[in-house]
Amino acid sequence: MKTEMDALMKNSTWEKCIISKGKKPVGCRWVFTIKYNPDGTIERYKARLVAKGYTQTYEIDYSETFSPVAKINTIRVLFSIAANKQWPLHQFDVKNAFLHGELEEEVYMEAPPGFTEGFKPGEVCRLKKSLYGLKQSPRAWFGRFTIAMKKYGYKQSNSDHTLFLKQRGKLITCLIIYVDDMIVTGNDEEEIKRLKVNLFSEFEMKDLGRLKYFLGIEVLKSNQGIFIFQKNMFWTCWQRQG
């Protein structure tokens, strides 16, 4: 919980204020989860402060909420191309992704449970950044990420807006993102390194190295191709053509 609060403070997620007349703050709560490694062992324990978005009112503290989600077929096609072309598969993770999204609406939130000291009577949080649980948070974060990718010279795919592409002659770099997890592949090693530097300077990122686990799917790469495995469901293999 302390780690989460430190991240929220570092990102200037809110400012304390007396709520405006006629405004009602949304509540918030702590959600605790256990993150697992692909082999089933515990990786870490995580606490996240989540806004009670279900108490928000349309056209008062939120409007548009739609945000695109990566299509599983796009991911499978990307794996297939990477296997046939022998492209590397890199994986990055954005820490507290939603906190990078800027809020356009006027949203107030109650003081976080367990951290109310320092709040005067009647004081609440005036949210400046999107927070997990808010209805508009996914849209705000994806909009922020899209602006950054276009700034780096990438174009969105017309068939899947979560896929970003950049071509330099015969070289190409592909990035696909699912909320805060992303896969980067292609045959332009120089651009992949540049993209990593840009992303890490723009957002708080974590380099997960070679792709091993994505959306509950275990990924194994070998000279024969790429195997993907989802426990109790299926095994799939794309073999590199001769």
Side-chain angles (χ1 to χ4, degrees), residues 23-46:
K23 293 285 185 179
K24 187 178 178 182
V26 298
C28 59
R29 65 191 181 96
W30 288 98
V31 174
F32 304 99
T33 54
I34 301 175
K35 297 286 185 177
Y36 293 94
N37 293 307
D39 61 2
T41 58
I42 295 175
E43 178 195 353
R44 61 194 169 99
Y45 297 95
K46 184 173 179 63

Side-chain angles (χ1 to χ4, degrees), residues 149-184:
M149 291 300 291
K150 287 182 176 179
K151 183 173 71 175
Y152 307 148
Y154 284 75
K155 294 182 179 180
Q156 280 178 286
S157 165
N158 291 326
S159 60
D160 190 332
H161 287 175
T162 64
L163 177 63
F164 295 84
L165 307 165
K166 185 174 182 179
Q167 194 165 0
R168 297 194 308 158
K170 294 183 179 180
L171 302 177
I172 189 168
T173 306
C174 312
L175 179 149
I176 192 164
I177 183 168
Y178 185 91
V179 187
D180 54 2
D181 282 328
M182 59 187 78
I183 299 172
V184 178

